[in-house]
Amino acid sequence: MSAPGVNLKLNGDRLWDALMEMAKVGPGIAGGNNRQTLTDADAQGRELFKTWCQSSGCSMGLDQMGNMFARREGTDKNALPVYVGSHLDTQPTGGKYDGVLGVLGGLEIIRTLNDLSIKTKHPIVVTNFTNEEGTRYAPSMLASGVFAGIYKQDWAHKRVDSEGIKFGDELERIGWSGDEVTGERKMHAFFELHIEQGPILETEGVDIGVVTHGQGLSWTQVTITGRDSHTGSTPMPMRRNAGLGMARVLELVEEIALSHSPHAVGAAGHIDVYPNSRNVIPGKVIFTVDFRSPKLDVILDMEKKLKEGAKEICDKMGLTVELEQLGGFDPVTFDPKCVEAVRSAAERLGHSHMDLISGAGHDACWINKVAPTAMVMCPCVDGLSHNEAEEITKDWAAAGANVLLHAVLETAEIVD
Ligand code: HGY
Ligand code: MN
Ligand code: MN
């Protein structure tokens, strides 16, 4: 199969305009986005994406997890489609590009192929996976996880947010629950364009990350129980301070991650304190420990050390502790052929590139279980993400999307 010509480029301005247009949906309070999954803002963003896809001649599909599929026909009706996409949901203080660049980069591929009347043997399907972020409904990458057969759909539909609202009920409420059986679609390959969300590419002055692997992730929900009591009149020795217990466990998390430096990381981003009143010793805290490493044995060791250490800390303080595995995935090795399609596309287009291990989790990490998968990454300013100040340049977006275009076309096979 001949590779696409070096002059084949998509419309970077149109891609940038689409990013800026989508960024107006579910705005944050500091220039980024708060378009959390299954909110009205998410529904609005879905509607906008659907309108754009339909006006680009795509037929739309929707499955029972709300995953969206925009299909551009190929010349061979029976050929499995090449899928390209990511997620439109954001963190509560998210950026304009995390996930969105991958979905709208896929749409720009469709628009460019239409402009140039290019036909491909395999159909191309642009995809928006529901609830990649896992903020409102844990775990992250929930809908791509159901698609890949990792999670049962019934279990996923019963996940509740902090208000006790079920995933399945919200999906119905916003009107984005589809008929398709989740995971029934078969893929020839899947490609995901994503910002790096880390500092390596920008620091190295490299435009393209050829993602060969993804580090593994472990989320452990920790519940520490003590006793609510008065912050003024309770003598120190009598206190059973769950908040202090959490603080000591979080110190332990830091030590555990640093004991496996430089590649392992650990922190807690979600913390609920009860009753969270200024003059009450916290009787209960619930928090999620996020451990990551490219090595599975390191992840397992960190989980073991957390379990042992948290119990030791809490026993000494007269507190009880419960740990619940909230989700996670083993380190990922992407498909060598798809990775090579990304690497040769970057070379053909003359972009600087380097192999990269993804620090963040992505839908591609689960789809890699059911289809040959690879990722393209572009730099982001100061490596900052999951922050409203997340920023990329138009050139980085275009470079990443052009590499995505070429990798998709090489796999979908241009028909002369
Ligand atoms: O958690 C992650 O790595 C992804 O951003 N959801
Ligand atoms: Mn993402
Ligand atoms: Mn994210």
Side-chain angles (χ1 to χ4, degrees), residues 19-315:
L19 287 165
M20 293 307 114
E21 201 55 33
M22 183 59 78
K24 291 176 191 163
V25 180
I29 51 172
N33 275 104
N34 178 9
R35 194 173 52 245
Q36 294 187 57
T37 197
L38 306 189
T39 58
D40 293 339
D42 182 18
Q44 215 187 317
R46 288 166 171 266
E47 206 51 55
L48 178 59
F49 173 60
K50 179 181 171 184
T51 306
W52 283 341
C53 292
Q54 286 177 323
S55 47
S56 301
C58 293
S59 57
M60 300 304 290
L62 186 68
D63 70 19
Q64 294 163 1
M65 284 297 290
N67 295 318
M68 296 176 72
F69 306 100
R71 178 184 169 111
R72 180 180 195 261
E73 285 310 329
T75 55
D76 178 348
K77 285 262 172 290
N78 303 319
L80 287 181
V82 172
Y83 282 68
V84 55
S86 188
H87 62 93
L88 290 174
D89 68 307
T90 76
Q91 288 283 335
T93 55
K96 300 191 279 282
Y97 312 99
D98 173 359
V100 187
L101 178 62
V103 177
L104 300 188
L107 171 63
E108 178 49 39
I109 288 176
I110 302 294
R111 287 173 161 172
T112 294
L113 299 183
N114 289 347
D115 290 349
L116 303 175
S117 310
I118 290 177
K119 293 193 181 73
T120 56
K121 175 188 168 196
H122 296 260
I124 295 173
V125 178
V126 187
T127 309
N128 168 34
F129 285 108
T130 307
N131 189 39
E132 189 279 343
E133 292 295 357
T135 307
R136 187 177 176 199
Y137 294 101
S140 56
M141 298 114 73
L142 181 62
S144 51
V146 173
F147 186 95
I150 309 298
Y151 304 117
K152 290 268 174 270
Q153 183 161 287
D154 283 352
W155 177 81
H157 276 189
K158 291 192 183 101
R159 303 301 289 163
V160 291
D161 66 7
S162 54
E163 326 267 295
I165 301 172
K166 283 200 185 107
F167 178 99
D169 295 345
E170 269 303 78
L171 191 62
E172 287 290 341
R173 181 189 70 81
I174 65 166
W176 281 92
S177 174
D179 298 331
E180 283 185 29
V181 174
T182 309
E184 218 163 47
R185 285 173 173 259
K186 298 302 167 221
M187 301 177 173
H188 179 56
F190 176 71
F191 290 94
E192 181 170 2
L193 166 63
H194 207 288
I195 61 171
E196 180 199 338
Q197 299 183 293
I200 298 168
L201 292 174
E202 188 187 38
T203 309
E204 299 296 327
V206 169
D207 287 346
I208 299 293
V210 180
V211 186
T212 56
H213 299 80
Q215 70 173 347
L217 176 153
S218 153
W219 277 4
T220 306
Q221 181 168 292
V222 183
T223 303
I224 297 179
T225 309
R227 186 176 58 197
D228 303 5
S229 62
H230 198 297
T231 51
S233 50
T234 311
M236 291 301 276
M238 285 177 64
R239 296 176 179 208
R240 288 182 23 229
N241 185 339
L244 182 60
M246 173 184 69
R248 290 181 179 163
V249 170
L250 293 183
E251 274 295 341
L252 171 68
V253 167
E254 182 84 0
E255 281 160 31
I256 293 170
L258 291 176
S259 73
H260 287 288
S261 69
H263 297 305
V265 291
H270 149 252
I271 296 176
D272 286 327
V273 180
Y274 301 92
N276 204 23
S277 165
R278 288 177 182 77
N279 43 12
V280 178
I281 303 281
K284 183 162 92 169
V285 293
I286 302 177
F287 56 102
T288 304
V289 173
D290 179 325
F291 278 135
R292 309 212 188 181
S293 165
K295 296 194 181 109
L296 180 57
D297 59 335
V298 169
I299 293 176
L300 296 174
D301 179 60
M302 294 199 283
E303 288 174 343
K304 179 170 169 291
K305 286 200 172 109
L306 170 65
K307 190 172 174 195
E308 290 162 358
K311 179 142 180 20
E312 195 183 327
I313 288 167
C314 291
D315 285 352

